[in-house]
Amino acid sequence: MTDRITELEIKLSLTEDLIEELNRTVFRQQEQLDLLQAQLRHLYRQMQSQNETADPTAVTTPRDEIPPHY
């Protein structure tokens, strides 16, 4: 009986360690997501400000742009 209790305590301890490690992993991933979302918002604002400062009468089409290999 004592061996079973000891085995259960060991399993419980390992499970708690695993849960704590998973919590840290989820926390780090959430930090990365938050950073990526902030960067995306920043890039979006940059694009919006560039569009606002661009000449509104200029019409750009893909034909007007030079392909990157030229």
Side-chain angles (χ1 to χ4, degrees):
M1 181 74 164
T2 313
D3 291 341
R4 288 186 66 198
I5 292 175
T6 304
E7 185 178 329
L8 287 173
E9 288 174 339
I10 291 170
K11 286 183 178 183
L12 177 63
S13 175
L14 292 173
T15 303
E16 288 174 341
D17 290 344
L18 178 61
I19 289 173
E20 184 59 35
E21 180 62 31
L22 289 172
N23 283 336
R24 284 192 296 268
T25 300
V26 169
F27 179 77
R28 284 191 306 269
Q29 287 178 342
Q30 187 61 49
E31 284 182 324
Q32 290 174 341
L33 282 173
D34 292 341
L35 176 63
L36 289 171
Q37 287 175 336
Q39 290 173 341
L40 184 61
R41 281 192 297 272
H42 178 72
L43 288 173
Y44 180 76
R45 283 192 299 269
Q46 278 184 333
M47 289 177 58
Q48 291 298 95
S49 67
Q50 286 176 354
N51 287 341
E52 290 172 0
T53 59
D55 184 9
T57 60
V59 177
T60 57
T61 64
R63 288 182 181 218
D64 296 334
E65 296 180 13
I66 298 175
H69 61 278
Y70 283 117

